[in-house]
Amino acid sequence: MASPSRNIAKPTILPPGATAFLRQRFIEAAGIVIALAGIAIMLALISFHPDDPSLNAATDAVSRNWLTGPGAAVADILMQTMGMAAWLMPVTILAWGWQIAKHKGLGRAWARVTLLPIALILSTMSLAGQKAGAGWILNAGYGGITGDMLLAQAVAKAVSVFPVDAGLIALIAGLLALLALVGALGLSTAEWRQLGRWLLWLGQHGARAGAAGGRIGLRVGRWSLAAARGGRPDPLRREPRLLSENEE
């Protein structure tokens, strides 16, 4: 027979439901912190300059990176090693943070964490198969040092078995990288649809903003040309339209 003292609830400092509430807020805060880390990496990559002070460039110049010295160092390491594939890292981290903050969790977290570096490595190999343009800012190719090295090794080993070129290996690596990235993101069908709608909305509004900016720029240009000629018209005033004889 159980002792009556065991049935007595232990006194707690927090009121009922407070523990669950704090736990949910803690999970949301953790997701936000992870998402902010992804955004910070994005900002560092956007403002990357190869001449900024970093482990690869010893200079006394002031860092132009938006996140100053630490951002320049992180961006330099990522870009030098992975090239354009480095962008997959902040995108994935941002997606993870969003899922955690929304209490969706990271199902099979160990598999997703494992798939991310696989996707990054395969992406560097795929990008290394593309010839870098004249405006590329790094000495290595689009896949960084890692992509150039791994693709060269893969081609050397494959050629010893059967004839194959780097383009085919890069294509296969790209397809495998896409599969690994989808697994690392772990988005559901509904989330992919939501992401597609968001990208469509962003594209539409971006096109409208660009068209509006173009019209404004054209109007300002016409006004500047007329002002230079001495007419100085009002840029906001529309010129009256002359009626033809038929319209009269």
Side-chain angles (χ1 to χ4, degrees):
M1 183 175 179
S3 175
S5 61
R6 295 182 180 180
N7 298 328
I8 300 176
K10 296 181 179 180
T12 57
I13 300 176
L14 299 176
T19 303
F21 174 82
L22 293 177
R23 182 175 180 275
Q24 291 179 353
R25 302 293 83 79
F26 176 78
I27 292 175
E28 292 172 357
I32 293 174
V33 170
I34 294 174
L36 290 176
I39 294 175
I41 297 175
M42 283 186 181
L43 294 177
L45 292 176
I46 291 174
S47 55
F48 168 71
H49 292 86
D51 298 331
D52 281 347
S54 62
L55 298 177
N56 191 54
T59 176
D60 296 331
V62 178
S63 175
R64 291 171 291 179
N65 195 283
W66 294 345
L67 301 184
T68 64
V74 172
D76 182 74
I77 293 174
L78 294 178
M79 290 295 295
Q80 294 288 350
T81 56
M82 295 185 290
M84 295 178 63
W87 280 94
L88 299 181
M89 178 181 292
V91 170
T92 306
I93 294 175
L94 180 59
W96 289 352
W98 176 76
Q99 290 172 327
I100 293 174
K102 287 291 186 177
H103 299 280
K104 298 179 181 296
L106 294 179
R108 298 180 179 178
W110 63 270
R112 297 169 68 171
V113 173
T114 304
L115 286 173
L116 177 57
I118 294 176
L120 292 174
I121 292 174
L122 292 173
S123 297
T124 60
M125 294 178 60
S126 178
L127 291 170
Q130 307 297 322
K131 184 178 180 180
W136 182 237
I137 57 179
L138 300 177
N139 294 327
Y142 290 139
I145 300 173
T146 303
D148 291 345
M149 180 181 62
L150 293 179
L151 183 61
Q153 293 179 354
V155 171
K157 292 181 179 180
V159 168
S160 62
V161 179
F162 57 90
V164 65
D165 60 354
L168 179 59
I169 295 179
L171 177 61
I172 296 174
L175 295 176
L176 295 176
L178 180 60
L179 294 176
L181 178 62
V182 171
L185 291 174
L187 298 178
S188 62
T189 304
E191 290 170 343
W192 280 110
R193 291 175 181 174
Q194 183 178 359
L195 178 61
R197 288 193 295 266
W198 181 78
L199 292 176
L200 180 61
W201 178 89
L202 184 64
Q204 291 176 346
H205 284 71
R208 293 175 182 175
R215 289 193 295 268
I216 294 175
L218 181 60
R219 182 174 297 182
V220 171
R222 290 176 177 176
W223 177 81
S224 301
L225 181 60
R229 293 177 176 176
R232 299 186 180 278
D234 185 358
L236 300 180
R237 181 177 63 87
R238 294 186 176 182
E239 298 294 336
R241 185 171 63 90
L242 298 179
L243 297 177
S244 62
E245 296 180 358
N246 295 332
E247 292 178 336
E248 293 177 353

